């Protein structure tokens, strides 16, 4: 019997950034849920049947970045969070919130995203 594929929540407000990555990751063996903002992401994270393991969030999007990371910590949700962004100031701020500091910048390099997700899952 095959084990279920790891579940990733991709939180990105820009559909032109989110959609190509959401199409790529299933080819690499992941189940992907998309959220366009922090509110949608929070709802997804509260649905226990989704069993989200990794959240990739744009730290600069409204309600999707630092606020979402803080909320996930407060909820003691087990998902690993990978923060991404393209603004240098936001990257500096993220270093104090994330386990490893900011990990990715946009535009996303799909293989680099894949590496970060696999490392996050390996730490579990």
């Amino acid at each position: 019997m095959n084990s279920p594929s790891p579940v990733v929540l991709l939180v990105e407000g820009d559909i032109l950034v989110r959609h190509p990555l959401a199409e790529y990751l299933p080819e690499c063996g992941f189940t992907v849920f998309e959220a366009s903002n922090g509110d949608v992401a929070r709802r997804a994270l509260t649905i226990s049947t989704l069993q989200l393991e990794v959240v990739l969030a744009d730290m600069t999007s409204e309600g999707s970045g630092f606020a979402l990371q803080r909320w996930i910590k407060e909820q003691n949700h087990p998902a690993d969070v990978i923060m991404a962004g393209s603004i240098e100031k936001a990257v500096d701020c993220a270093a104090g919130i994330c386990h490893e500091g900011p990990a990715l910048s946009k535009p996303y390099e799909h293989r680099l995203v894949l590496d970060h997700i696999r490392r996050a899952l390996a730490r579990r």
Side-chain angles (χ1 to χ4, degrees):
M1 183 171 172
N2 292 337
S3 60
S5 59
V7 182
V8 176
L9 176 62
L10 179 55
V11 188
E12 171 60 59
D14 186 341
I15 187 74
L16 297 176
V17 172
R18 185 178 70 240
H19 190 69
L21 188 56
E23 286 187 337
Y24 171 75
L25 291 173
E27 294 174 11
C28 302
F30 297 97
T31 299
V32 177
F33 289 94
E34 298 178 55
S36 59
N37 60 53
D39 291 335
V40 175
R42 283 184 211 28
R43 284 194 293 273
L45 286 159
T46 59
I47 299 172
S48 62
T49 56
L50 293 182
Q51 298 179 351
L52 294 164
E53 297 175 73
V54 176
V55 176
L56 173 62
D58 175 12
M59 71 180 89
T60 59
S61 292
E62 181 181 333
S64 298
F66 298 124
L68 179 60
Q69 168 70 10
R70 214 171 292 119
W71 182 85
I72 291 169
K73 282 180 127 176
E74 290 169 358
Q75 301 300 310
N76 292 316
H77 195 284
D80 285 301
V81 179
I82 300 170
M83 299 292 279
S86 56
I87 299 174
E88 189 172 314
K89 182 178 177 184
V91 170
D92 290 339
C93 293
I97 296 174
C98 301
H99 294 281
E100 299 177 5
L104 301 167
S105 62
K106 295 192 304 187
Y108 296 121
E109 293 183 38
H110 292 177
R111 290 194 187 270
L112 189 56
V113 170
L114 178 62
D115 284 346
H116 280 277
I117 291 171
R118 286 183 173 154
R119 279 187 290 185
L121 292 169
R123 288 191 301 261
R124 292 180 154 259

